[in-house]
Amino acid sequence: MQLLAWYDQNKRPLPWRLDQASLRDPYRTWVSEVMLQQTLIPVVIPAYQRFLKKFPDVFALSLATEDELRPLVKGLGYYRRFGMLQRAAKIIAGVSPPGKPLWPENQDAWKVLPGIGEYTSAAIGSIAFGIPVPVIDGNVERVLCRLADIRQAPNLPELKPRYRQMITKMLGNPIATARPGDFNQAMMELGQRICTPKSPDCGACPISAKCASRKAKSQHLAPAPKIRPAYEEVRLQMIIGLRRGLDGKREVALFRRGSKSKFLKGSRGFWYGETRDLPSGTENVGSFRHSITKHKITADVQILEMKPATKKSCKISAWTKESPDWVPAGVVENELISNLDVKAWRLVTRRLQP
Ligand code: SF4
């Protein structure tokens, strides 16, 4: 099969693939697939390596605390998926004898675990267990649209059965059936590197002979642009409480966001709200734009200088119910997981510089 020959010659040497060459470890496949769900490969690579160093197996991950986990996945976004990964690790470790993980036996059993859906279960099943199930992501959808010259939006739900039918037929080739994990990765990599959205490199494509779009010279029409969800504009006020600590150095107020927070539930960061009512004494240091899922946020950043620390705990203002953790200003950026908080903090540091 030409696709697999191309893949063997051209695949990227990604760390999780090198791992799989020496040992077929479902844990490593699972961690890499969860990281890749929402994040680009160059950002995932260093995060994957530090994650595996700290949590080399499912048992180590099952014992992780949130404070250990968060810094390791900093910058990847959408923390919720890692909370679910840890919960699922706990379930697997809980039913396994020491040191011998009992992995779910099939795709349906994987899907029972928190955070694992159709895509991830198929990726783990095919890559780590050699089960011939197709993996269909956005890149694969684009390749399939071009192969069949489908000139519709690729994310139309009615196209899903057609994609499944097409790729199942391709996966039925005996060479692909023998290497389903490589077949799936080859299709995804072809979409990422050769059959790109704007300028497909058809001359380098291993499946060009079967491509209807190429024949019709309609690569720019197939697929049509995606249907985008409607975005919701949100205006947030972010308030960064500052004070002098007992040692005279500057400290910053960080809050643990509760389960009812609109954004970034469970993360630690600055206070935010949709209020227009600001406490007296706040000073605006600027605004920035940020997107979280379908929300387009405009955040106004305010600093609020508080009285110097005493031994008693101190709320940053009467309108916050919770007391913050006061963190030394020099290390606060390391504590921030979300880019929403990092962007706000950068505005503050610009203002605080002499
Ligand atoms: S021939 Fe071109 S358009 Fe067709 S699948 Fe290959 S890269 Fe994509």
Side-chain angles (χ1 to χ4, degrees), residues 146-178:
R146 287 188 171 144
L147 281 176
D149 201 15
I150 298 169
R151 302 180 190 186
Q152 291 168 277
N155 55 340
L156 284 174
E158 57 266 34
L159 288 176
K160 303 277 177 207
R162 187 152 176 210
Y163 294 145
R164 188 154 285 279
Q165 199 184 27
M166 286 174 73
I167 199 158
T168 303
K169 194 168 165 209
M170 292 170 82
L171 193 50
N173 174 302
I175 300 171
T177 308

Side-chain angles (χ1 to χ4, degrees), residues 143 146-147 194-195 200-202 205 207-208 211 213-214 219:
V143 174
R146 287 188 171 144
L147 281 176
I194 304 289
C195 194
D201 183 1
C202 300
C205 177
I207 54 175
S208 61
C211 179
S213 285
R214 188 185 194 199
Q219 296 96 321

Side-chain angles (χ1 to χ4, degrees), residues 72-107:
L72 286 176
V73 296
K74 189 176 166 181
L76 300 185
Y78 301 101
Y79 176 75
R80 209 168 145 255
R81 62 187 150 148
F82 299 105
M84 291 194 282
L85 176 72
Q86 203 271 343
R87 286 208 327 266
K90 239 181 183 158
I91 294 170
I92 291 175
V95 298
S96 303
K100 289 203 177 122
L102 283 178
W103 298 112
E105 280 175 1
N106 53 44
Q107 216 186 332

Side-chain angles (χ1 to χ4, degrees), residues 328-341:
V331 298
V332 82
E333 191 161 340
N334 294 339
E335 299 285 320
L336 303 175
I337 303 295
S338 159
N339 280 334
L340 180 82
D341 293 309

